Amino acid sequence: MAPKKKSPKGRKKMRGKKSPTPILPVSEEVEPINMESMGHPEIYPLVLTTKTQEIFNCRIDEDVTDEHPYKLIPKEDIFEDMRNRAAVSDFHPVKKIIQEYPGDELLLVYDKDFRYGLNFYLIGTEEGKENYFNPSEVPEEQEENKEHIPEDVYMYKLPVSKPWVSLGSEKEIEEESVKDSTKQITYMISRKRSEFGAPIKFSDQNASSVKDGYIECTSYPDKIFTLKQLEKDVSMQVVPQIRDISTQTRWTYPKNATTQYYPREFSEEEKTALNQSKSLADFLNNVSMSVEIALQQNEIMNTFIDDWKNLAEEEGTFGDKTDTHLKEYQSFTDLHSPTEKMITCISWHPTIYGLIAVSVAVRLSFEDRVHFSGKLLLQPSLILFWSFSDPIHPQLMLESPDDIFCFQFCPSDPNIIAGGCINGQIILWDITAHADRIENIKTGDSRSKKPTLKPMFLLEPDSNKEAMYIRHCAVSSIENGHKNVITDIHWLSDTFEINRMGSVFENRSGICCQLATCSADCTICFWDIRQQKVATPQPTEKKKEESIEIPFDVPSTFMHLDLSWKPLIKVRLSKGETSLDHCPTKMSLNQDHLLYKSQDKMLAQNKAAKAGETSPYHNLEGGMIDHLRPIDDFCTKFFMGTEEGEVIYTDWKLERDPETGRYTSKKPVSLYAVHDGAVHTIQRSPFYNDIILTVGGWNVAIWKEGVVTGPLLQSCCAPKRYTSGHWSLTRPGVFYIGREDGYIDIWDLLEKTHEPAQSQNICITMITYIKPQTFSSKQQFIAVADYYGTLHILEIPWTLSHPSTNEVSSVNHYFEREVKHLEYVLQRKMIREKEKKEMELEMEKKKVKTYQKSKEQMEAEMRMDYESYLELERSVLINLGLIKVTEMLSYMDMM
Amino acid sequence: MAEVEETLKRIQSHKGVIGTMVVNAEGIPIRTTLDNSTTVQYAGLLHQLTMKTKSTVRDIDPQNDLTFLRIRSKKHEIMVAPDKEYLLIVIQNPCE
């Protein structure tokens, strides 16, 4: 209805005004699309509907077929069609081309394959037409050449038009095509001319205000579409109720607070008052009983002792024999020496792990020495330093003028070594310059894996191959020193020093500066390595004359001593008026064992470190003992073993001889002839200062200092001679003895005291020296030197190195028992003597008594004797058969 | 009084006794054989411990009461004899 209304309006407007041109599809002059892009500018694709096809007689499959796909259409027909059907004509898009076409007939080709996009195409030029008819397949040579090879000439057949056969495609097209179902409504809205350009006033109008202004489609519930829900899937979840709450606390920061208080105490008066009070007395009466019971309970027995625990430990030491053998760890031999050598002395380096020094001497008797003395002069006598890491090459070699028989590291500075020679000289070495060389040695691990890796690769390559020969620093004076082989050398402790009289003073310098030596010329000498203040003019002159030139590599530490070193004290061990003196082989001073305890190792190191870079030995000064007072109660006595097998306890202090007025050495305090051969070991126990072990000849003896009756323990003669001995460093009751057949006897005083607990073979020849050393609680080694010059290092098993808890006290008890036993023996001896005397007295008395018998008694007795004799005679004769029994009767009658 | 002296002397002379002291109910020492600082320390600590022990015993059974307290440690034994007004403390080394 609306359009109706509007149309009159529109018409009105139309009438009134000049109606604008009807809105029609404007035909624009559009360039027809040609196939220029495909290389054929003359081809214009066309769509020809069926009606057009009927008009022009180019119906598909009738007029225009595959063989005859073209049709020549005169231009006039096309123009007529265009006039008839105007824009609807299919040729409309190419109208321009047709108008411009020069010729009369246009070629229309059926494009069956839709090569150009539409079902027909028009050739727009004459040339194109020509090309088509003639080799128009030129552009498609490639494809059609193959097809047309068998056919040389293509016979052109004109297309024959056939009648259209409908195959039902029109219906489909009809269905598919969209056609307007109703005519489109057109509206024409016009305005009065005068109102052109004037603003338009639009207004709103509610559609419902006008009757029938709108058609309403009200919604209504359609029952068809309602569904009744018969089933419902419901799920539930339980959720805890959560509440978030937060609070703010007051932050307290830490504050330092201190309080000071003193305890409440009673004043003296109050205390006395309370003490007097009766309440206290009553209280004590009540309470003291229970307290005393408790105290006595504790005295009776300790109820908290775990007996099982105590038992278990004891069994561990005595019963466990699984691993008690010394295990071979390493052995060292010097392969470069031309003559056969034996080892005379061993010393472990006090601070460096795995470094051990041995002194070697030629294995010749005195006669042979004299015989070969020329040859021996050429060979250097050495002290070799062996390290665990290199069993073939010694690390250092210290040279000396003659064979060394004993040597020692200085306890306060391990770079100073003192040794005693066979000719009676003392040799001093200073290896401070080479200290870093031996400290860099790696031990243990590198040994087995890389035997070729030398430990000193850090240093210059030329020193790599051969060990350094280090010349000695100083030797003692030949005239003033010992005349015979030095058998033992000791450094005196750094806590005291002695002067010429033998009095002891406090050692202010803090280092070991004095030595004690004993030699086979029956003397003991004390030496001081510091320069003596007293300098007589003679020695200096001598020095100037000689002007000794010292080789460049020898340190000048002891230059002042070289060749002019005299002993401080010379103690002569005389046996009295006889010319034969005691010949000491070894000695044991009071403070010896303290020097080797591991704690003092640290002390020594600390001292050396404190002294700074330069060792105190480089700046030695004379003793300051002039200003000090001597220590009076110092024990200056010491033990000494001699070549005859005696153990001597003597004093080194010189006393004034009343007769001659000179200072002479004292007589020995006590002398014991216990051993059958030379005493080669005298050693104090590392645990007890007054227990001494002496080994010599075929037996062992243990002594206690102060007990003069005799040794605590003296073993019986062993089958083989004992040649060396040493206490164990960790177990108080254990010591090691080396024999002349290469066996080591291990004695355990808590196990057996009459024979060694164990015996183990080490080598085939005589053992010359034993020296154990502890490196840690798990590793303890013992170095054994034999007569053929081989040094064996053995590892001490756990059982032999680890003491049980109360071993120290047990061994102590044992020694005390032995002391008591000795005393008891002495007492018994005295008692026996007394008894003997008494018995003798009684015998005497008896004899006197018998003499006083009376005469009659004597006669009666004599008669009785005579009669008994006669009877005896008769019985004998009867037995012999000389007298008959009957005769005997008559004889009896006669009587 | 002579009795007091005699009793304390007797206790002190037992084998292994290191020290004896008498403390009042508040923990203030009255008599002692040890030095002052040790006494004060022992008195304070043991007084508190005795109080605690007493209250423990009585909490378990109100009819019960503490008669003697012995503390055995590695080194020695401390014995405390409590009373209404005083405390007797003895320290003994039981090991031989």
Side-chain angles (χ1 to χ4, degrees):
Chain A
M1 304 305 136
K4 275 187 188 173
K5 272 188 190 171
K6 278 208 172 142
S7 48
K9 265 191 195 168
R11 270 191 235 125
K12 269 187 196 169
K13 283 186 181 172
M14 242 170 86
R15 287 184 212 128
K17 297 162 203 168
K18 184 183 172 184
S19 58
T21 52
I23 299 163
L24 285 170
V26 175
S27 64
E28 295 167 3
E29 290 294 326
V30 183
E31 275 292 319
I33 303 163
N34 65 354
M35 286 289 109
E36 196 169 341
S37 56
M38 281 177 75
H40 295 280
E42 67 275 11
I43 291 172
Y44 297 94
L46 271 182
V47 177
L48 295 180
T49 55
T50 42
K51 195 156 184 218
T52 320
Q53 287 171 23
E54 281 170 14
I55 295 166
F56 288 101
N57 296 322
C58 57
R59 286 183 283 263
I60 298 170
D61 290 333
E62 285 176 9
D63 302 319
V64 180
T65 58
D66 287 337
E67 289 88 35
H68 212 70
Y70 64 89
K71 189 110 177 127
L72 283 161
I73 300 168
K75 217 155 84 167
E76 296 294 322
D77 289 345
I78 296 172
F79 279 131
E80 200 179 317
D81 177 54
M82 280 205 286
R83 261 179 268 144
N84 289 339
R85 298 204 292 156
V88 187
S89 165
D90 290 325
F91 289 99
H92 193 76
V94 295
K95 181 181 168 184
K96 194 180 172 191
I97 303 297
I98 296 163
Q99 282 170 346
E100 288 170 3
Y101 194 76
D104 283 331
E105 287 184 338
L106 279 101
L107 182 64
L108 182 77
V109 184
Y110 169 56
D111 192 4
K112 186 188 175 192
D113 298 323
F114 286 86
R115 203 183 297 150
Y116 298 109
L118 298 169
N119 57 359
F120 280 90
Y121 63 85
L122 190 75
I123 307 275
T125 57
E126 280 285 322
E127 296 86 33
K129 195 163 89 172
E130 298 282 325
N131 281 342
Y132 187 81
F133 283 129
N134 299 329
S136 62
E137 287 97 26
V138 172
E140 288 93 22
E141 265 177 8
Q142 295 164 341
E143 294 170 6
E144 290 175 352
N145 255 346
K146 295 169 194 171
E147 291 172 40
H148 290 291
I149 284 170
E151 291 180 77
D152 291 323
V153 179
Y154 174 63
M155 296 302 297
Y156 175 66
K157 290 182 202 166
L158 279 172
V160 177
S161 66
K162 292 170 196 153
W164 164 257
V165 176
S166 168
L167 294 168
S169 57
E170 296 111 35
K171 281 192 209 142
E172 288 176 16
I173 293 167
E174 291 281 328
E175 280 172 32
E176 293 297 316
S177 60
V178 175
K179 294 190 183 97
D180 295 327
S181 54
T182 53
K183 193 171 173 239
Q184 283 182 328
I185 300 166
T186 54
Y187 284 98
M188 196 177 75
I189 304 166
S190 61
R191 289 177 95 188
K192 266 203 276 192
R193 177 104 219 268
S194 58
E195 286 177 12
F196 267 27
I200 300 165
K201 265 190 264 174
F202 283 118
S203 63
D204 287 329
Q205 190 185 359
N206 199 349
S208 58
S209 61
V210 182
K211 189 176 170 241
D212 292 334
Y214 66 99
I215 298 170
E216 196 181 14
C217 296
T218 49
S219 64
Y220 63 99
D222 194 351
K223 291 249 167 69
I224 304 166
F225 296 102
T226 55
L227 287 172
K228 192 174 172 191
Q229 198 171 25
L230 295 171
E231 268 184 3
K232 211 175 182 179
D233 265 329
V234 174
S235 67
M236 290 210 309
Q237 184 174 14
V238 176
V239 177
Q241 265 189 323
I242 302 170
R243 261 173 59 178
D244 269 327
I245 299 176
S246 61
T247 63
Q248 179 102 11
T249 58
R250 198 179 305 170
W251 173 63
T252 53
Y253 51 94
K255 259 194 290 198
N256 277 337
T258 58
T259 53
Q260 188 163 7
Y261 64 94
Y262 55 91
R264 284 181 300 175
E265 283 175 349
F266 284 129
S267 64
E268 287 300 322
E269 303 91 31
E270 285 171 335
K271 274 194 189 162
T272 46
L274 278 169
N275 276 329
Q276 309 292 326
S277 67
K278 190 173 180 304
S279 55
L280 187 69
D282 289 339
F283 159 71
L284 280 175
N285 285 336
N286 293 336
V287 146
S288 58
M289 181 54 60
S290 51
V291 167
E292 283 186 12
I293 289 173
L295 286 170
Q296 279 164 4
Q297 276 174 355
N298 280 334
E299 284 164 28
I300 294 167
M301 204 187 110
N302 186 3
T303 51
F304 291 95
I305 284 180
D306 192 354
D307 297 321
W308 279 113
K309 213 167 150 189
N310 286 349
L311 273 178
E313 273 205 333
E314 282 177 357
E315 275 190 15
T317 45
F318 292 124
D320 189 9
K321 288 229 181 233
T322 49
D323 183 23
T324 49
H325 277 270
L326 303 169
K327 286 177 284 242
E328 175 93 21
Y329 188 79
Q330 212 170 6
S331 69
F332 301 101
T333 324
D334 187 18
L335 304 166
H336 301 301
S337 64
T339 50
E340 291 155 348
K341 300 255 175 118
M342 68 172 180
I343 295 178
T344 50
C345 187
I346 305 175
S347 185
W348 291 86
H349 197 280
T351 46
I352 299 176
Y353 168 84
L355 198 64
I356 186 170
V358 292
S359 64
V360 286
V362 222
R363 224 188 308 151
L364 298 169
S365 67
F366 185 69
E367 288 164 10
D368 292 331
R369 265 182 201 269
V370 171
H371 192 61
F372 293 114
S373 57
K375 194 164 84 168
L376 289 175
L377 270 176
L378 298 169
Q379 293 157 23
S381 319
L382 302 166
I383 291 184
L384 305 169
F385 275 65
W386 294 104
S387 159
F388 282 173
S389 59
D390 193 353
I392 303 170
H393 299 97
Q395 304 303 320
L396 279 179
M397 293 203 247
L398 305 181
E399 242 187 315
S400 87
D402 226 332
D403 282 341
I404 305 274
F405 269 75
C406 56
F407 73 96
Q408 259 204 18
F409 285 93
C410 175
S412 42
D413 185 1
N415 293 323
I416 311 279
I417 300 145
C421 244
I422 197 173
N423 59 358
Q425 279 184 310
I426 298 184
I427 322 284
L428 282 174
W429 288 272
D430 184 0
I431 57 168
T432 340
H434 309 278
D436 53 344
R437 188 173 143 122
I438 49 179
E439 267 169 25
N440 285 336
I441 292 168
K442 278 193 216 155
T443 57
D445 304 323
S446 58
R447 165 174 68 95
S448 51
K449 284 174 189 166
K450 293 176 194 171
T452 54
L453 179 69
K454 291 283 170 77
M456 296 166 293
F457 60 91
L458 298 163
L459 304 176
E460 311 89 40
D462 22 58
S463 64
N464 217 354
K465 297 285 171 59
E466 41 183 279
M468 298 273 282
Y469 284 86
I470 299 171
R471 201 177 161 274
H472 52 269
C473 216
V475 291
S476 67
S477 152
I478 298 177
E479 311 92 37
N480 300 330
H482 288 292
K483 307 273 188 303
N484 211 334
V485 57
I486 294 180
T487 50
D488 202 9
I489 185 166
H490 286 279
W491 286 89
L492 289 184
S493 162
D494 53 357
T495 49
F496 67 94
E497 59 182 58
I498 56 180
N499 73 343
R500 292 190 173 276
M501 303 299 126
S503 343
V504 176
F505 295 89
E506 190 192 334
N507 185 349
R508 290 280 176 89
S509 54
I511 50 168
C512 292
C513 48
Q514 292 187 331
L515 291 162
T517 57
C518 67
S519 132
D521 64 352
C522 312
T523 54
I524 293 176
C525 288
F526 290 86
W527 309 74
D528 197 319
I529 61 174
R530 298 170 295 193
Q531 196 158 26
Q532 301 306 310
K533 274 186 185 169
V534 184
T536 56
Q538 278 178 339
T540 50
E541 278 177 23
K542 270 190 190 167
K543 263 194 183 168
K544 278 177 192 166
E545 283 172 22
E546 290 172 17
S547 66
I548 300 160
E549 281 184 17
I550 297 159
F552 70 98
D553 58 347
V554 171
S556 58
T557 328
F558 300 115
M559 219 171 72
H560 53 272
L561 297 172
D562 202 9
L563 285 176
S564 60
W565 195 10
K566 284 200 287 198
L568 208 54
I569 308 172
K570 217 170 191 176
V571 178
R572 182 152 219 92
L573 304 161
S574 51
K575 274 192 195 169
E577 294 84 22
T578 57
S579 57
L580 285 170
D581 299 328
H582 296 287
C583 175
T585 47
K586 279 285 189 307
M587 56 187 199
S588 163
L589 300 165
N590 212 351
Q591 299 285 327
D592 272 350
H593 71 287
L594 284 174
L595 298 174
Y596 301 114
K597 266 194 179 163
S598 52
Q599 304 157 357
D600 281 281
K601 256 194 236 174
M602 289 306 297
L603 266 175
Q605 276 175 335
N606 287 340
K607 275 188 193 161
K610 269 189 227 165
E613 288 303 317
T614 58
S615 134
Y617 287 96
H618 296 286
N619 307 321
L620 290 169
E621 288 175 358
M624 294 161 46
I625 50 180
D626 304 330
H627 314 290
L628 298 171
R629 281 176 55 226
I631 304 171
D632 292 322
D633 55 353
F634 197 87
C635 180
T636 55
K637 300 190 179 56
F638 60 97
F639 277 88
M640 207 174 54
T642 66
E643 198 141 343
E644 285 88 41
E646 295 156 342
V647 176
I648 300 177
Y649 187 53
T650 183
D651 200 336
W652 75 60
K653 220 168 174 172
L654 299 172
E655 65 170 0
R656 209 182 177 85
D657 195 8
E659 297 164 13
T660 53
R662 282 185 300 149
Y663 283 97
T664 54
S665 47
K666 290 182 180 168
K667 272 199 173 164
V669 174
S670 47
L671 191 152
Y672 311 94
V674 157
H675 297 287
D676 313 316
V679 175
H680 53 75
T681 304
I682 290 195
Q683 213 192 17
R684 290 182 191 248
S685 167
F687 293 86
Y688 314 103
N689 197 11
D690 49 0
I691 302 286
I692 295 118
L693 172 80
T694 59
V695 183
W698 279 264
N699 57 0
V700 180
I702 296 181
W703 309 78
K704 190 172 169 101
E705 196 167 354
V707 172
V708 292
T709 40
L712 296 182
L713 172 78
Q714 186 181 345
S715 78
C716 60
C717 278
K720 294 282 173 185
R721 201 154 56 94
Y722 287 142
T723 48
S724 57
H726 205 283
W727 283 103
S728 160
L729 295 175
T730 48
R731 286 192 65 186
V734 172
F735 52 91
Y736 307 96
I737 312 275
R739 305 208 308 227
E740 65 174 350
D741 57 354
Y743 275 76
I744 282 195
D745 283 346
I746 302 169
W747 287 69
D748 189 350
L749 288 175
L750 291 173
E751 209 177 309
K752 284 188 245 188
T753 54
H754 62 282
E755 59 171 19
Q758 264 185 293
S759 199
Q760 188 175 345
N761 191 352
I762 307 292
C763 53
I764 49 169
T765 173
M766 180 171 89
I767 292 176
T768 52
Y769 213 90
I770 295 179
K771 199 84 190 268
Q773 175 80 323
T774 322
F775 288 116
S776 67
S777 67
K778 294 197 183 135
Q779 227 182 11
Q780 207 185 55
F781 294 112
I782 183 167
V784 177
D786 67 6
Y787 191 62
Y788 283 162
T790 314
L791 177 71
H792 305 267
I793 311 281
L794 300 135
E795 199 169 340
I796 299 178
W798 177 260
T799 46
L800 278 177
S801 63
H802 206 71
S804 60
T805 43
N806 38 8
E807 191 163 326
V808 178
S809 54
S810 310
V811 174
N812 210 12
H813 283 318
Y814 168 74
F815 289 134
E816 283 172 15
R817 276 202 312 270
E818 291 299 319
V819 170
K820 282 187 195 154
H821 180 243
L822 278 175
E823 287 172 9
Y824 175 73
V825 165
L826 202 66
Q827 278 182 7
R828 289 300 297 178
K829 235 188 196 171
M830 287 180 2
I831 291 173
R832 287 265 174 252
E833 278 187 20
K834 260 196 342 198
E835 280 185 2
K836 200 174 173 187
K837 277 187 190 162
E838 282 175 11
M839 268 178 65
E840 282 177 10
L841 268 173
E842 274 193 31
M843 290 289 288
E844 296 259 344
K845 279 182 189 168
K846 266 192 192 164
K847 280 184 193 163
V848 168
K849 270 187 194 162
T850 51
Y851 189 68
Q852 285 171 355
K853 279 184 187 161
S854 62
K855 246 188 175 173
E856 302 87 23
Q857 280 180 330
M858 278 174 68
E859 271 188 23
E861 276 183 12
M862 279 172 73
R863 184 173 288 209
M864 289 286 290
D865 285 336
Y866 182 64
E867 277 178 18
S868 62
Y869 164 69
L870 283 176
E871 289 218 18
L872 176 70
E873 188 190 22
R874 209 184 310 142
S875 63
V876 167
L877 287 173
I878 289 170
N879 284 336
L880 285 173
L882 297 170
I883 308 175
K884 286 189 186 156
V885 184
T886 50
E887 286 183 15
M888 198 178 76
L889 280 170
S890 59
Y891 185 70
M892 281 287 284
D893 290 336
M894 277 172 67
M895 290 290 284
Chain B
M1 302 216 306
E3 258 184 65
V4 165
E5 306 290 336
E6 194 208 306
T7 317
L8 284 173
K9 210 168 173 183
R10 202 173 64 234
I11 291 175
Q12 179 71 26
S13 62
H14 269 269
K15 183 181 166 204
V17 170
I18 299 167
T20 319
M21 62 187 89
V22 179
V23 174
N24 86 333
E26 288 173 358
I28 309 171
I30 298 174
R31 250 187 104 97
T32 175
T33 59
L34 300 168
D35 59 285
N36 200 24
S37 52
T38 320
T39 307
V40 155
Q41 192 180 26
Y42 268 101
L45 292 167
L46 286 168
H47 167 255
Q48 286 178 23
L49 186 65
T50 316
M51 291 299 116
K52 189 77 181 177
T53 318
K54 200 172 206 168
S55 67
T56 310
V57 168
R58 293 198 72 150
D59 275 347
I60 293 168
D61 181 9
Q63 311 277 333
N64 209 351
D65 199 5
L66 178 71
T67 50
F68 206 82
L69 179 64
R70 276 167 94 163
I71 303 164
R72 182 64 177 256
S73 74
K74 261 201 289 199
K75 295 188 184 169
H76 34 248
E77 180 156 345
I78 304 169
M79 288 169 244
V80 180
D83 195 64
K84 267 202 312 241
E85 298 157 18
Y86 301 99
L87 219 63
L88 175 65
I89 301 168
V90 180
I91 305 156
Q92 186 194 28
N93 186 5
C95 306
E96 294 80 42

